[in-house]
């Protein structure tokens, strides 16, 4: 299969010989324009697209001007259909189906702000890997997006086109031919308990209680904000997490936990004392507000339990108080990492740590395996014994 490119009028003109038309017996050529500069990088982009065209024609996947590549949905239409098919929804029993509300909002925002302004008008079946690469370069160079954000957008584009491919709306998945930027692992921040105590000491009483639960239980922000007094058993020194609050297109919504199951954790004596004091303050606020604290009242609330804290307020409060305490570069979510690492280094079984954090043992091993006590030193001792001629290793 022959093909060539030529730079003319500010763009690369691609031509691929597609053989002979079976009806007219005339030679058919596939033409395409790649709007890249007359530079080495521009020529590489044109060559990459030319190679895609040749492969598509040879495999019979190329559509000419009269085919469905000129019809079919645009990227905007496809994105709307895909998002509608996966929209968060509740059945009569309150169970959620489709994406989580937070995922739906994140996908919608990424497409609205970053993908559709560039690719929205294009026919989905005609989008190429080169175009998607060009989008990623623009998002990184002009919009200043972090590689991790672009990688997430790439994952969403890939998922959308794969869904469309299964539905036979596009001939192939162009995101498979795209190259998102490489993402460097984020340094793992584990704040020491001394630093967390320093933040607690200058925080408001209610937020200090929030920190106490986040640091000792490793609970997520949305799970704590959704906590109600009916979930708290102070006499039994335990809390049951069965729901969380997540951001959505329509604002905060209440849903199940991230693990989609309820789980109960035990409170230490000091934490029980902190929560008792929090309850007393909440009862006083409820009286002032003319309400009564009940099982459905929110634990973290400024109006006597009627409404919970804003989902974003704990993060803002943590940032403000941690800076005052001289703790830089540590997020509220890092308290969860601190809880997990401290328990693992103390020799708490992985199964217990997973249950307290509301996740799986596999997730604990994948994320925190370097904190499992003695694992690396035991491996070092084993390898020494294997190599030492004076040691006898028992199989």
């Amino acid at each position: 299969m022959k093909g060539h490119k030529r730079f003319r009028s500010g763009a690369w003109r691609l031509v691929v010989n597609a053989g002979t038309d079976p009806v007219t017996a005339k030679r058919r050529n596939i033409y395409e324009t790649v709007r890249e500069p007359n530079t080495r990088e521009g020529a590489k982009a044109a060559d990459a697209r030319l190679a895609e065209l040749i492969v598509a024609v040879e495999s019979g996947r190329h559509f000419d001007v009269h085919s469905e590549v000129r019809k079919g949905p645009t990227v905007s239409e496809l994105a709307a259909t895909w998002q509608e098919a996966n929209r968060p929804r509740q059945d009569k029993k309150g169970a959620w189906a489709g994406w989580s509300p937070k995922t739906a909002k994140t996908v919608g925002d990424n497409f609205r702000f970053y993908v559709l302004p560039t690719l929205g008008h294009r026919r989905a079946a005609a989008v190429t890997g080169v175009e998607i690469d060009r989008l990623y370069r623009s998002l990184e160079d002009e919009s200043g997006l972090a590689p991790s954000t672009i990688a997430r957008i790439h994952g969403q584009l890939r998922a959308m086109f794969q869904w469309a491919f299964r539905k036979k709306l596009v001939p192939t998945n162009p995101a498979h031919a795209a190259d998102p930027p490489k993402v460097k692992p984020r340094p793992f921040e584990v704040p020491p308990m001394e630093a967390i105590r320093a933040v607690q000491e200058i925080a408001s009483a209610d937020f200090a209680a929030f920190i106490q639960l986040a640091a000792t239980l490793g609970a997520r922000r949305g799970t704590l904000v959704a906590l109600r007094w009916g979930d708290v058993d102070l006499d039994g020194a335990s809390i049951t997490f069965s729901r969380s609050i997540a951001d959505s297109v329509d604002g905060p919504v209440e849903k199940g936990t991230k693990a989609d199951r309820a789980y109960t954790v035990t409170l230490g004596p000091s934490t029980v004392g902190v929560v008792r004091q929090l309850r007393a303050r909440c009862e006083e606020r409820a009286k002032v507000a003319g309400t009564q604290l009940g099982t459905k009242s929110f634990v973290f609330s400024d109006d006597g339990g009627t409404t919970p804290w804003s989902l974003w307020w704990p993060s803002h409060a943590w940032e403000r108080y941690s800076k005052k305490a001289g703790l830089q570069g540590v997020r509220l979510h890092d308290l969860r990492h601190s809880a997990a690492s401290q328990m693992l280094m103390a020799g708490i079984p992985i199964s217990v740590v997973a249950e307290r954090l509301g996740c799986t043992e596999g997730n604990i091993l994948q994320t925190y395996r370097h904190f499992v006590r003695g694992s690396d030193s035991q491996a070092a001792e084993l390898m020494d014994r294997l190599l030492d001629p004076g040691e006898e290793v028992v199989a």
Side-chain angles (χ1 to χ4, degrees):
M1 186 68 62
K2 293 183 178 180
H4 65 271
K5 70 179 189 298
R6 181 168 57 177
F7 191 81
R8 178 191 292 176
S9 303
W12 292 94
R13 314 296 175 177
L14 310 183
V15 182
V16 175
N17 183 357
T20 303
D21 189 295
V23 178
T24 64
K26 293 182 179 179
R27 188 170 126 183
R28 293 192 307 174
N29 286 330
I30 303 299
Y31 301 95
E32 188 163 315
T33 299
V34 174
R35 301 195 179 281
E36 291 284 350
N38 189 14
T39 62
R40 180 179 295 180
E41 290 299 319
K44 286 175 64 177
D47 285 335
R49 179 53 187 156
L50 182 62
E52 286 183 347
L53 282 176
I54 292 173
V55 170
V57 171
E58 287 180 339
S59 63
R61 290 186 288 106
H62 188 274
F63 294 83
D64 62 27
V65 294
H66 301 295
S67 70
E68 294 179 6
V69 77
R70 301 296 178 178
K71 305 174 186 177
T74 63
V75 173
S76 289
E77 293 167 342
L78 178 60
T81 303
W82 175 60
Q83 290 175 57
E84 173 63 22
N86 292 283
R87 75 188 189 285
R89 51 199 182 275
Q90 286 181 288
D91 60 21
K92 294 180 180 180
K93 295 182 179 180
W96 285 91
W99 289 333
S100 73
K102 182 180 179 182
T103 297
K105 185 178 188 306
T106 301
V107 171
D109 288 348
N110 284 344
F111 271 77
R112 183 167 61 255
F113 296 133
Y114 305 127
V115 176
L116 299 185
T118 301
L119 297 179
H121 68 286
R122 295 280 287 133
R123 293 292 175 185
V127 173
T128 68
V130 171
E131 286 180 280
I132 297 176
D133 283 342
R134 194 180 304 128
L135 168 66
Y136 295 160
R137 289 200 301 272
S138 173
L139 293 178
E140 188 170 16
D141 298 339
E142 298 174 20
S143 301
L145 293 191
S148 58
T149 303
I150 298 174
R152 282 194 294 272
I153 293 171
H154 173 71
Q156 293 159 5
L157 267 175
R158 185 178 58 208
M160 181 189 74
F161 277 112
Q162 193 61 31
W163 177 87
F165 177 72
R166 288 195 298 106
K167 302 296 182 181
K168 300 188 184 305
L169 298 175
V170 295
T172 188
N173 185 340
H176 286 161
D179 298 307
K182 294 182 179 180
V183 180
K184 296 181 180 179
R186 181 183 181 273
F188 206 80
E189 296 288 347
V190 179
M193 288 301 180
E194 296 78 12
I196 296 174
R197 277 199 298 271
V199 179
Q200 267 188 302
E201 289 172 359
I202 63 173
S204 65
D206 285 7
F207 189 61
F210 188 97
I211 294 174
Q212 181 81 17
L213 293 179
T216 58
L217 307 181
R220 297 180 177 90
R221 177 189 61 181
T223 309
L224 287 174
V225 170
L227 191 64
R228 298 175 186 262
W229 282 112
D231 304 320
V232 180
D233 181 3
L234 289 174
D235 293 331
S238 67
I239 285 179
T240 298
F241 293 114
S242 59
R243 65 186 68 84
S244 67
I245 290 177
D247 202 11
S248 75
V249 176
D250 301 317
V253 295
E254 194 171 293
K255 65 180 195 66
T257 64
K258 189 169 184 177
D260 203 24
R261 64 177 178 84
Y263 62 98
T264 301
V265 294
T266 302
L267 305 179
S270 296
T271 302
V272 170
V274 168
V275 178
R276 283 193 188 278
Q277 293 172 11
L278 173 63
R279 172 144 188 129
R281 292 193 298 272
C282 290
E283 288 174 343
E284 288 298 321
R285 279 195 291 267
K287 288 180 182 178
V288 172
T291 61
Q292 187 173 0
L293 209 64
T295 57
K296 292 187 177 181
S297 300
F298 288 100
V299 172
F300 294 103
S301 170
D302 294 324
D303 58 5
T306 304
T307 58
W309 282 353
S310 162
L311 183 62
W312 300 105
W313 190 84
S315 297
H316 293 314
W318 171 262
E319 183 178 1
R320 182 170 71 251
Y321 288 125
S322 62
K323 283 184 178 178
K324 287 183 179 180
L327 186 61
Q328 300 291 331
V330 176
R331 308 166 302 167
L332 178 64
H333 187 75
D334 291 330
L335 271 62
R336 179 175 172 84
H337 298 324
S338 184
S341 61
Q342 293 292 338
M343 286 187 283
L344 290 170
M345 287 189 293
I348 303 297
I350 293 174
S351 58
V352 175
V353 177
E355 184 62 27
R356 285 184 70 82
L357 268 65
C359 59
T360 65
E361 293 182 38
N363 183 266
I364 292 292
L365 284 171
Q366 180 181 0
T367 309
Y368 304 105
R369 62 181 179 273
H370 50 294
F371 289 111
V372 178
R373 189 177 68 177
S375 56
D376 188 49
S377 60
Q378 290 169 4
E381 292 172 6
L382 170 65
M383 298 312 294
D384 271 3
R385 292 200 306 271
L386 289 173
L387 194 61
D388 190 339
E391 292 283 347
E392 182 178 346
V393 179
V394 179

